[in-house]
Amino acid sequence: VIEMLARGNTQIDSMKAAELALMSQALLAPNRMELKYTPVICTRNRVKQKIEVRLYPSYVLQNVIFQQPPRLGDSVYIEPDGKLTLNKPGKTKIQVIPTHNTSLWQTAEIEVRDPVMRKLGNGKLRLCENGKIRLI
């Protein structure tokens, strides 16, 4: 009987250790994700664009995967750290997937367009302060 109790206590201890390991993994899983990016980018834009990701709660690992399926567009190329390289005008969808909770995935849709001239309400061209044509 004493031997059976000792084996039972050993099994209970191992189950408690397994429970702690599982609970610590669950604490690392995010429960919310926010994306910050520019949805429309002009081909003449010289500023390096990036998809910024924030996982909550803030203490979880901030690991995500950027997935760019070819059928969802190729107007931009995304690097593993979220930086964007413009290829050509068009639309591209990029899937952002947190590694510790894949059910939170989101799609970022980015449009790359050629520069256009803006007009004022009265039909006149909008100019810069120095009188040059303003492209946006």
Side-chain angles (χ1 to χ4, degrees), residues 28-73:
L28 295 177
N31 57 25
R32 185 168 57 104
M33 177 173 70
E34 289 180 0
L35 301 180
K36 184 178 172 185
Y37 62 95
T38 305
V40 180
I41 306 169
C42 178
T43 55
R44 297 185 83 191
N45 189 333
R46 302 283 186 246
V47 177
K48 190 71 172 172
Q49 300 293 322
K50 183 176 182 175
I51 297 178
E52 295 184 26
V53 181
R54 185 79 182 132
L55 298 174
Y56 294 96
S58 59
Y59 60 81
V60 300
L61 297 173
Q62 301 291 312
N63 295 339
V64 295
I65 295 172
F66 297 99
Q67 183 178 10
Q68 186 176 357
R71 63 182 169 75
L72 297 180

mmCIF file of all heavy atoms in Angstrom, residues 28-73:
data_model
loop_
_atom_site.group_PDB
_atom_site.id
_atom_site.type_symbol
_atom_site.label_atom_id
_atom_site.label_comp_id
_atom_site.label_asym_id
_atom_site.label_seq_id
_atom_site.Cartn_x
_atom_site.Cartn_y
_atom_site.Cartn_z
ATOM 1 N N LEU A 28 2.269 32.891 -22.858
ATOM 2 C CA LEU A 28 3.022 33.531 -23.940
ATOM 3 C C LEU A 28 2.166 33.792 -25.172
ATOM 4 O O LEU A 28 2.609 34.446 -26.101
ATOM 5 C CB LEU A 28 4.221 32.652 -24.330
ATOM 6 C CG LEU A 28 5.285 32.467 -23.262
ATOM 7 C CD1 LEU A 28 6.356 31.515 -23.756
ATOM 8 C CD2 LEU A 28 5.895 33.790 -22.873
ATOM 9 N N ALA A 29 0.948 33.302 -25.204
ATOM 10 C CA ALA A 29 0.091 33.450 -26.373
ATOM 11 C C ALA A 29 -0.611 34.808 -26.345
ATOM 12 O O ALA A 29 -1.202 35.183 -25.338
ATOM 13 C CB ALA A 29 -0.938 32.331 -26.415
ATOM 14 N N PRO A 30 -0.556 35.551 -27.459
ATOM 15 C CA PRO A 30 -1.256 36.835 -27.508
ATOM 16 C C PRO A 30 -2.762 36.626 -27.633
ATOM 17 O O PRO A 30 -3.226 35.583 -28.092
ATOM 18 C CB PRO A 30 -0.692 37.490 -28.773
ATOM 19 C CG PRO A 30 -0.277 36.353 -29.626
ATOM 20 C CD PRO A 30 0.176 35.265 -28.686
ATOM 21 N N ASN A 31 -3.530 37.640 -27.231
ATOM 22 C CA ASN A 31 -4.973 37.553 -27.385
ATOM 23 C C ASN A 31 -5.521 38.659 -28.287
ATOM 24 O O ASN A 31 -6.708 38.709 -28.552
ATOM 25 C CB ASN A 31 -5.689 37.568 -26.028
ATOM 26 C CG ASN A 31 -5.356 38.788 -25.210
ATOM 27 O OD1 ASN A 31 -4.999 39.821 -25.735
ATOM 28 N ND2 ASN A 31 -5.468 38.651 -23.902
ATOM 29 N N ARG A 32 -4.630 39.557 -28.765
ATOM 30 C CA ARG A 32 -5.048 40.638 -29.660
ATOM 31 C C ARG A 32 -3.853 41.096 -30.474
ATOM 32 O O ARG A 32 -2.724 41.074 -29.996
ATOM 33 C CB ARG A 32 -5.602 41.797 -28.835
ATOM 34 C CG ARG A 32 -6.179 42.924 -29.648
ATOM 35 C CD ARG A 32 -6.968 43.895 -28.780
ATOM 36 N NE ARG A 32 -6.201 44.460 -27.696
ATOM 37 C CZ ARG A 32 -5.719 45.706 -27.676
ATOM 38 N NH1 ARG A 32 -5.917 46.501 -28.694
ATOM 39 N NH2 ARG A 32 -5.049 46.144 -26.644
ATOM 40 N N MET A 33 -4.109 41.524 -31.725
ATOM 41 C CA MET A 33 -3.037 42.004 -32.600
ATOM 42 C C MET A 33 -3.511 43.268 -33.308
ATOM 43 O O MET A 33 -4.640 43.342 -33.776
ATOM 44 C CB MET A 33 -2.675 40.936 -33.637
ATOM 45 C CG MET A 33 -1.620 41.386 -34.620
ATOM 46 S SD MET A 33 -1.027 40.086 -35.718
ATOM 47 C CE MET A 33 -2.431 39.799 -36.755
ATOM 48 N N GLU A 34 -2.618 44.262 -33.388
ATOM 49 C CA GLU A 34 -2.897 45.497 -34.112
ATOM 50 C C GLU A 34 -1.843 45.690 -35.200
ATOM 51 O O GLU A 34 -0.650 45.481 -34.959
ATOM 52 C CB GLU A 34 -2.863 46.700 -33.176
ATOM 53 C CG GLU A 34 -4.018 46.765 -32.210
ATOM 54 C CD GLU A 34 -3.943 47.986 -31.301
ATOM 55 O OE1 GLU A 34 -2.995 48.789 -31.415
ATOM 56 O OE2 GLU A 34 -4.849 48.125 -30.463
ATOM 57 N N LEU A 35 -2.300 46.089 -36.382
ATOM 58 C CA LEU A 35 -1.405 46.385 -37.498
ATOM 59 C C LEU A 35 -1.414 47.884 -37.760
ATOM 60 O O LEU A 35 -2.462 48.526 -37.675
ATOM 61 C CB LEU A 35 -1.860 45.669 -38.766
ATOM 62 C CG LEU A 35 -1.954 44.157 -38.719
ATOM 63 C CD1 LEU A 35 -2.410 43.625 -40.067
ATOM 64 C CD2 LEU A 35 -0.639 43.543 -38.317
ATOM 65 N N LYS A 36 -0.247 48.421 -38.110
ATOM 66 C CA LYS A 36 -0.137 49.832 -38.471
ATOM 67 C C LYS A 36 0.677 49.898 -39.762
ATOM 68 O O LYS A 36 1.837 49.460 -39.781
ATOM 69 C CB LYS A 36 0.553 50.598 -37.342
ATOM 70 C CG LYS A 36 0.634 52.080 -37.572
ATOM 71 C CD LYS A 36 1.297 52.756 -36.376
ATOM 72 C CE LYS A 36 1.567 54.195 -36.663
ATOM 73 N NZ LYS A 36 2.314 54.842 -35.569
ATOM 74 N N TYR A 37 0.051 50.426 -40.824
ATOM 75 C CA TYR A 37 0.726 50.522 -42.113
ATOM 76 C C TYR A 37 0.022 51.560 -42.969
ATOM 77 O O TYR A 37 -1.099 51.985 -42.669
ATOM 78 C CB TYR A 37 0.754 49.171 -42.825
ATOM 79 C CG TYR A 37 -0.608 48.619 -43.161
ATOM 80 C CD1 TYR A 37 -1.172 48.824 -44.410
ATOM 81 C CD2 TYR A 37 -1.344 47.895 -42.222
ATOM 82 C CE1 TYR A 37 -2.427 48.331 -44.721
ATOM 83 C CE2 TYR A 37 -2.586 47.395 -42.517
ATOM 84 C CZ TYR A 37 -3.126 47.613 -43.768
ATOM 85 O OH TYR A 37 -4.376 47.129 -44.071
ATOM 86 N N THR A 38 0.671 51.972 -44.044
ATOM 87 C CA THR A 38 0.090 52.916 -44.991
ATOM 88 C C THR A 38 -0.615 52.117 -46.081
ATOM 89 O O THR A 38 0.043 51.380 -46.814
ATOM 90 C CB THR A 38 1.192 53.812 -45.611
ATOM 91 O OG1 THR A 38 1.913 54.427 -44.550
ATOM 92 C CG2 THR A 38 0.604 54.862 -46.514
ATOM 93 N N PRO A 39 -1.944 52.248 -46.223
ATOM 94 C CA PRO A 39 -2.668 51.415 -47.189
ATOM 95 C C PRO A 39 -2.474 51.830 -48.652
ATOM 96 O O PRO A 39 -2.603 50.995 -49.532
ATOM 97 C CB PRO A 39 -4.128 51.547 -46.771
ATOM 98 C CG PRO A 39 -4.201 52.783 -45.962
ATOM 99 C CD PRO A 39 -2.851 53.011 -45.380
ATOM 100 N N VAL A 40 -2.165 53.112 -48.915
ATOM 101 C CA VAL A 40 -1.944 53.574 -50.291
ATOM 102 C C VAL A 40 -0.581 54.259 -50.340
ATOM 103 O O VAL A 40 -0.325 55.211 -49.602
ATOM 104 C CB VAL A 40 -3.053 54.558 -50.749
ATOM 105 C CG1 VAL A 40 -2.784 55.023 -52.175
ATOM 106 C CG2 VAL A 40 -4.420 53.919 -50.644
ATOM 107 N N ILE A 41 0.290 53.760 -51.234
ATOM 108 C CA ILE A 41 1.651 54.276 -51.343
ATOM 109 C C ILE A 41 1.893 54.688 -52.791
ATOM 110 O O ILE A 41 1.590 53.934 -53.717
ATOM 111 C CB ILE A 41 2.697 53.217 -50.927
ATOM 112 C CG1 ILE A 41 2.381 52.671 -49.531
ATOM 113 C CG2 ILE A 41 4.099 53.796 -50.974
ATOM 114 C CD1 ILE A 41 3.189 51.454 -49.159
ATOM 115 N N CYS A 42 2.462 55.873 -52.976
ATOM 116 C CA CYS A 42 2.799 56.375 -54.313
ATOM 117 C C CYS A 42 4.150 55.791 -54.748
ATOM 118 O O CYS A 42 5.055 55.609 -53.924
ATOM 119 C CB CYS A 42 2.858 57.896 -54.274
ATOM 120 S SG CYS A 42 3.317 58.636 -55.838
ATOM 121 N N THR A 43 4.291 55.518 -56.033
ATOM 122 C CA THR A 43 5.543 54.938 -56.537
ATOM 123 C C THR A 43 6.732 55.876 -56.346
ATOM 124 O O THR A 43 7.863 55.422 -56.308
ATOM 125 C CB THR A 43 5.424 54.578 -58.028
ATOM 126 O OG1 THR A 43 5.014 55.728 -58.754
ATOM 127 C CG2 THR A 43 4.457 53.434 -58.244
ATOM 128 N N ARG A 44 6.482 57.182 -56.217
ATOM 129 C CA ARG A 44 7.578 58.148 -56.036
ATOM 130 C C ARG A 44 7.934 58.354 -54.567
ATOM 131 O O ARG A 44 8.821 59.139 -54.254
ATOM 132 C CB ARG A 44 7.202 59.481 -56.666
ATOM 133 C CG ARG A 44 7.010 59.332 -58.180
ATOM 134 C CD ARG A 44 6.756 60.651 -58.813
ATOM 135 N NE ARG A 44 8.044 61.294 -59.031
ATOM 136 C CZ ARG A 44 8.171 62.557 -59.378
ATOM 137 N NH1 ARG A 44 7.130 63.321 -59.534
ATOM 138 N NH2 ARG A 44 9.372 63.072 -59.566
ATOM 139 N N ASN A 45 7.254 57.669 -53.670
ATOM 140 C CA ASN A 45 7.510 57.801 -52.242
ATOM 141 C C ASN A 45 8.892 57.232 -51.930
ATOM 142 O O ASN A 45 9.175 56.070 -52.205
ATOM 143 C CB ASN A 45 6.428 57.064 -51.452
ATOM 144 C CG ASN A 45 6.489 57.340 -49.976
ATOM 145 O OD1 ASN A 45 7.533 57.649 -49.434
ATOM 146 N ND2 ASN A 45 5.354 57.211 -49.320
ATOM 147 N N ARG A 46 9.744 58.036 -51.339
ATOM 148 C CA ARG A 46 11.125 57.618 -51.034
ATOM 149 C C ARG A 46 11.275 57.098 -49.601
ATOM 150 O O ARG A 46 12.319 56.596 -49.224
ATOM 151 C CB ARG A 46 12.083 58.792 -51.229
ATOM 152 C CG ARG A 46 12.050 59.377 -52.625
ATOM 153 C CD ARG A 46 12.800 58.493 -53.594
ATOM 154 N NE ARG A 46 12.882 59.124 -54.904
ATOM 155 C CZ ARG A 46 12.291 58.664 -55.984
ATOM 156 N NH1 ARG A 46 11.573 57.577 -55.918
ATOM 157 N NH2 ARG A 46 12.403 59.279 -57.138
ATOM 158 N N VAL A 47 10.237 57.247 -48.786
ATOM 159 C CA VAL A 47 10.300 56.804 -47.392
ATOM 160 C C VAL A 47 10.106 55.294 -47.346
ATOM 161 O O VAL A 47 9.187 54.754 -47.951
ATOM 162 C CB VAL A 47 9.207 57.506 -46.549
ATOM 163 C CG1 VAL A 47 9.223 57.001 -45.115
ATOM 164 C CG2 VAL A 47 9.385 59.006 -46.595
ATOM 165 N N LYS A 48 10.987 54.605 -46.625
ATOM 166 C CA LYS A 48 10.878 53.155 -46.485
ATOM 167 C C LYS A 48 9.634 52.829 -45.659
ATOM 168 O O LYS A 48 9.477 53.287 -44.542
ATOM 169 C CB LYS A 48 12.142 52.599 -45.805
ATOM 170 C CG LYS A 48 12.249 51.116 -45.817
ATOM 171 C CD LYS A 48 12.547 50.605 -47.199
ATOM 172 C CE LYS A 48 12.848 49.117 -47.152
ATOM 173 N NZ LYS A 48 12.965 48.537 -48.453
ATOM 174 N N GLN A 49 8.738 52.057 -46.240
ATOM 175 C CA GLN A 49 7.481 51.698 -45.590
ATOM 176 C C GLN A 49 7.627 50.374 -44.857
ATOM 177 O O GLN A 49 8.451 49.541 -45.221
ATOM 178 C CB GLN A 49 6.354 51.594 -46.621
ATOM 179 C CG GLN A 49 6.100 52.877 -47.375
ATOM 180 C CD GLN A 49 5.550 53.982 -46.496
ATOM 181 O OE1 GLN A 49 4.740 53.733 -45.615
ATOM 182 N NE2 GLN A 49 6.005 55.195 -46.722
ATOM 183 N N LYS A 50 6.772 50.190 -43.841
ATOM 184 C CA LYS A 50 6.849 48.978 -43.024
ATOM 185 C C LYS A 50 5.472 48.675 -42.449
ATOM 186 O O LYS A 50 4.699 49.590 -42.165
ATOM 187 C CB LYS A 50 7.848 49.194 -41.881
ATOM 188 C CG LYS A 50 8.054 47.992 -41.010
ATOM 189 C CD LYS A 50 9.117 48.236 -39.961
ATOM 190 C CE LYS A 50 9.309 46.956 -39.161
ATOM 191 N NZ LYS A 50 10.377 47.028 -38.205
ATOM 192 N N ILE A 51 5.185 47.397 -42.290
ATOM 193 C CA ILE A 51 3.996 46.977 -41.551
ATOM 194 C C ILE A 51 4.447 46.762 -40.113
ATOM 195 O O ILE A 51 5.276 45.894 -39.838
ATOM 196 C CB ILE A 51 3.380 45.687 -42.123
ATOM 197 C CG1 ILE A 51 2.893 45.917 -43.548
ATOM 198 C CG2 ILE A 51 2.247 45.199 -41.235
ATOM 199 C CD1 ILE A 51 2.312 44.682 -44.209
ATOM 200 N N GLU A 52 3.920 47.582 -39.218
ATOM 201 C CA GLU A 52 4.271 47.459 -37.807
ATOM 202 C C GLU A 52 3.191 46.647 -37.106
ATOM 203 O O GLU A 52 1.999 46.877 -37.312
ATOM 204 C CB GLU A 52 4.413 48.837 -37.173
ATOM 205 C CG GLU A 52 5.574 49.622 -37.776
ATOM 206 C CD GLU A 52 5.787 50.956 -37.103
ATOM 207 O OE1 GLU A 52 5.429 51.103 -35.916
ATOM 208 O OE2 GLU A 52 6.308 51.850 -37.775
ATOM 209 N N VAL A 53 3.627 45.709 -36.287
ATOM 210 C CA VAL A 53 2.701 44.798 -35.608
ATOM 211 C C VAL A 53 2.894 44.937 -34.105
ATOM 212 O O VAL A 53 4.023 45.017 -33.615
ATOM 213 C CB VAL A 53 2.965 43.331 -36.021
ATOM 214 C CG1 VAL A 53 2.003 42.391 -35.343
ATOM 215 C CG2 VAL A 53 2.908 43.189 -37.525
ATOM 216 N N ARG A 54 1.781 44.954 -33.391
ATOM 217 C CA ARG A 54 1.824 44.996 -31.927
ATOM 218 C C ARG A 54 0.903 43.901 -31.400
ATOM 219 O O ARG A 54 -0.274 43.845 -31.753
ATOM 220 C CB ARG A 54 1.358 46.366 -31.446
ATOM 221 C CG ARG A 54 1.464 46.548 -29.987
ATOM 222 C CD ARG A 54 2.906 46.865 -29.615
ATOM 223 N NE ARG A 54 2.979 46.984 -28.171
ATOM 224 C CZ ARG A 54 3.876 46.402 -27.428
ATOM 225 N NH1 ARG A 54 4.823 45.683 -27.979
ATOM 226 N NH2 ARG A 54 3.876 46.536 -26.138
ATOM 227 N N LEU A 55 1.464 43.003 -30.590
ATOM 228 C CA LEU A 55 0.695 41.926 -29.975
ATOM 229 C C LEU A 55 0.436 42.264 -28.510
ATOM 230 O O LEU A 55 1.298 42.832 -27.838
ATOM 231 C CB LEU A 55 1.452 40.598 -30.082
ATOM 232 C CG LEU A 55 1.724 40.095 -31.499
ATOM 233 C CD1 LEU A 55 2.597 38.859 -31.453
ATOM 234 C CD2 LEU A 55 0.438 39.814 -32.232
ATOM 235 N N TYR A 56 -0.766 41.907 -28.047
ATOM 236 C CA TYR A 56 -1.150 42.178 -26.668
ATOM 237 C C TYR A 56 -1.562 40.892 -25.983
ATOM 238 O O TYR A 56 -2.125 40.018 -26.635
ATOM 239 C CB TYR A 56 -2.331 43.158 -26.638
ATOM 240 C CG TYR A 56 -1.956 44.514 -27.162
ATOM 241 C CD1 TYR A 56 -2.199 44.850 -28.479
ATOM 242 C CD2 TYR A 56 -1.350 45.455 -26.342
ATOM 243 C CE1 TYR A 56 -1.856 46.097 -28.982
ATOM 244 C CE2 TYR A 56 -1.013 46.707 -26.832
ATOM 245 C CZ TYR A 56 -1.266 47.017 -28.154
ATOM 246 O OH TYR A 56 -0.927 48.246 -28.627
ATOM 247 N N PRO A 57 -1.297 40.763 -24.680
ATOM 248 C CA PRO A 57 -0.668 41.712 -23.787
ATOM 249 C C PRO A 57 0.791 41.957 -24.179
ATOM 250 O O PRO A 57 1.404 41.158 -24.876
ATOM 251 C CB PRO A 57 -0.779 41.079 -22.414
ATOM 252 C CG PRO A 57 -1.104 39.644 -22.632
ATOM 253 C CD PRO A 57 -1.681 39.518 -24.008
ATOM 254 N N SER A 58 1.326 43.066 -23.725
ATOM 255 C CA SER A 58 2.632 43.525 -24.201
ATOM 256 C C SER A 58 3.792 42.620 -23.805
ATOM 257 O O SER A 58 4.860 42.695 -24.406
ATOM 258 C CB SER A 58 2.896 44.942 -23.695
ATOM 259 O OG SER A 58 2.864 44.963 -22.283
ATOM 260 N N TYR A 59 3.608 41.747 -22.806
ATOM 261 C CA TYR A 59 4.721 40.895 -22.368
ATOM 262 C C TYR A 59 4.891 39.647 -23.224
ATOM 263 O O TYR A 59 5.859 38.924 -23.070
ATOM 264 C CB TYR A 59 4.557 40.492 -20.893
ATOM 265 C CG TYR A 59 3.296 39.730 -20.583
ATOM 266 C CD1 TYR A 59 3.204 38.367 -20.833
ATOM 267 C CD2 TYR A 59 2.199 40.379 -20.051
ATOM 268 C CE1 TYR A 59 2.043 37.673 -20.564
ATOM 269 C CE2 TYR A 59 1.034 39.691 -19.759
ATOM 270 C CZ TYR A 59 0.966 38.340 -20.020
ATOM 271 O OH TYR A 59 -0.185 37.655 -19.747
ATOM 272 N N VAL A 60 3.969 39.374 -24.157
ATOM 273 C CA VAL A 60 4.112 38.175 -24.990
ATOM 274 C C VAL A 60 5.193 38.403 -26.045
ATOM 275 O O VAL A 60 5.544 39.541 -26.364
ATOM 276 C CB VAL A 60 2.781 37.782 -25.677
ATOM 277 C CG1 VAL A 60 1.715 37.495 -24.651
ATOM 278 C CG2 VAL A 60 2.329 38.834 -26.650
ATOM 279 N N LEU A 61 5.708 37.328 -26.596
ATOM 280 C CA LEU A 61 6.706 37.429 -27.649
ATOM 281 C C LEU A 61 6.078 38.079 -28.875
ATOM 282 O O LEU A 61 4.995 37.704 -29.303
ATOM 283 C CB LEU A 61 7.249 36.040 -27.995
ATOM 284 C CG LEU A 61 7.983 35.323 -26.868
ATOM 285 C CD1 LEU A 61 8.324 33.900 -27.284
ATOM 286 C CD2 LEU A 61 9.232 36.071 -26.474
ATOM 287 N N GLN A 62 6.762 39.038 -29.466
ATOM 288 C CA GLN A 62 6.247 39.808 -30.598
ATOM 289 C C GLN A 62 6.658 39.152 -31.927
ATOM 290 O O GLN A 62 7.186 39.794 -32.820
ATOM 291 C CB GLN A 62 6.764 41.257 -30.534
ATOM 292 C CG GLN A 62 6.380 41.989 -29.274
ATOM 293 C CD GLN A 62 4.900 42.283 -29.189
ATOM 294 O OE1 GLN A 62 4.296 42.772 -30.142
ATOM 295 N NE2 GLN A 62 4.302 41.980 -28.062
ATOM 296 N N ASN A 63 6.393 37.864 -32.055
ATOM 297 C CA ASN A 63 6.788 37.114 -33.245
ATOM 298 C C ASN A 63 5.615 36.955 -34.200
ATOM 299 O O ASN A 63 4.557 36.467 -33.808
ATOM 300 C CB ASN A 63 7.296 35.719 -32.859
ATOM 301 C CG ASN A 63 8.558 35.780 -32.053
ATOM 302 O OD1 ASN A 63 9.280 36.760 -32.075
ATOM 303 N ND2 ASN A 63 8.836 34.725 -31.315
ATOM 304 N N VAL A 64 5.835 37.358 -35.456
ATOM 305 C CA VAL A 64 4.822 37.175 -36.493
ATOM 306 C C VAL A 64 5.489 36.710 -37.777
ATOM 307 O O VAL A 64 6.697 36.883 -37.965
ATOM 308 C CB VAL A 64 4.017 38.467 -36.783
ATOM 309 C CG1 VAL A 64 3.207 38.891 -35.582
ATOM 310 C CG2 VAL A 64 4.916 39.579 -37.251
ATOM 311 N N ILE A 65 4.686 36.133 -38.639
ATOM 312 C CA ILE A 65 5.139 35.721 -39.968
ATOM 313 C C ILE A 65 4.367 36.549 -40.984
ATOM 314 O O ILE A 65 3.149 36.687 -40.885
ATOM 315 C CB ILE A 65 4.870 34.218 -40.196
ATOM 316 C CG1 ILE A 65 5.712 33.391 -39.226
ATOM 317 C CG2 ILE A 65 5.161 33.830 -41.644
ATOM 318 C CD1 ILE A 65 5.367 31.921 -39.236
ATOM 319 N N PHE A 66 5.078 37.114 -41.959
ATOM 320 C CA PHE A 66 4.449 37.839 -43.057
ATOM 321 C C PHE A 66 4.379 36.891 -44.246
ATOM 322 O O PHE A 66 5.400 36.464 -44.760
ATOM 323 C CB PHE A 66 5.259 39.082 -43.425
ATOM 324 C CG PHE A 66 5.329 40.091 -42.312
ATOM 325 C CD1 PHE A 66 6.432 40.160 -41.489
ATOM 326 C CD2 PHE A 66 4.283 40.969 -42.086
ATOM 327 C CE1 PHE A 66 6.501 41.087 -40.471
ATOM 328 C CE2 PHE A 66 4.336 41.894 -41.065
ATOM 329 C CZ PHE A 66 5.452 41.957 -40.253
ATOM 330 N N GLN A 67 3.171 36.572 -44.660
ATOM 331 C CA GLN A 67 2.971 35.633 -45.758
ATOM 332 C C GLN A 67 2.393 36.392 -46.946
ATOM 333 O O GLN A 67 1.405 37.104 -46.815
ATOM 334 C CB GLN A 67 2.024 34.524 -45.332
ATOM 335 C CG GLN A 67 1.815 33.465 -46.375
ATOM 336 C CD GLN A 67 0.895 32.359 -45.863
ATOM 337 O OE1 GLN A 67 0.279 32.474 -44.822
ATOM 338 N NE2 GLN A 67 0.822 31.289 -46.613
ATOM 339 N N GLN A 68 3.012 36.209 -48.112
ATOM 340 C CA GLN A 68 2.576 36.896 -49.320
ATOM 341 C C GLN A 68 2.303 35.877 -50.427
ATOM 342 O O GLN A 68 3.167 35.589 -51.247
ATOM 343 C CB GLN A 68 3.650 37.892 -49.766
ATOM 344 C CG GLN A 68 3.247 38.749 -50.915
ATOM 345 C CD GLN A 68 4.308 39.774 -51.249
ATOM 346 O OE1 GLN A 68 5.322 39.880 -50.583
ATOM 347 N NE2 GLN A 68 4.078 40.524 -52.292
ATOM 348 N N PRO A 69 1.085 35.331 -50.462
ATOM 349 C CA PRO A 69 0.763 34.381 -51.527
ATOM 350 C C PRO A 69 0.786 35.069 -52.888
ATOM 351 O O PRO A 69 0.295 36.186 -53.020
ATOM 352 C CB PRO A 69 -0.656 33.918 -51.186
ATOM 353 C CG PRO A 69 -0.841 34.262 -49.743
ATOM 354 C CD PRO A 69 0.002 35.472 -49.504
ATOM 355 N N PRO A 70 1.362 34.456 -53.919
ATOM 356 C CA PRO A 70 1.482 35.086 -55.237
ATOM 357 C C PRO A 70 0.132 35.472 -55.841
ATOM 358 O O PRO A 70 0.038 36.467 -56.538
ATOM 359 C CB PRO A 70 2.167 34.025 -56.098
ATOM 360 C CG PRO A 70 2.707 33.013 -55.167
ATOM 361 C CD PRO A 70 1.976 33.145 -53.874
ATOM 362 N N ARG A 71 -0.906 34.751 -55.566
ATOM 363 C CA ARG A 71 -2.214 35.047 -56.153
ATOM 364 C C ARG A 71 -2.859 36.298 -55.557
ATOM 365 O O ARG A 71 -3.851 36.788 -56.066
ATOM 366 C CB ARG A 71 -3.147 33.854 -55.991
ATOM 367 C CG ARG A 71 -3.442 33.507 -54.557
ATOM 368 C CD ARG A 71 -4.330 32.277 -54.424
ATOM 369 N NE ARG A 71 -4.380 31.812 -53.069
ATOM 370 C CZ ARG A 71 -5.061 32.393 -52.086
ATOM 371 N NH1 ARG A 71 -5.749 33.476 -52.319
ATOM 372 N NH2 ARG A 71 -5.056 31.884 -50.868
ATOM 373 N N LEU A 72 -2.297 36.834 -54.458
ATOM 374 C CA LEU A 72 -2.864 38.019 -53.818
ATOM 375 C C LEU A 72 -2.150 39.308 -54.214
ATOM 376 O O LEU A 72 -2.308 40.319 -53.562
ATOM 377 C CB LEU A 72 -2.860 37.854 -52.295
ATOM 378 C CG LEU A 72 -3.711 36.714 -51.752
ATOM 379 C CD1 LEU A 72 -3.631 36.648 -50.239
ATOM 380 C CD2 LEU A 72 -5.158 36.854 -52.192
ATOM 381 N N GLY A 73 -1.343 39.270 -55.286
ATOM 382 C CA GLY A 73 -0.704 40.486 -55.792
ATOM 383 C C GLY A 73 0.796 40.491 -55.606
ATOM 384 O O GLY A 73 1.332 39.806 -54.746
#
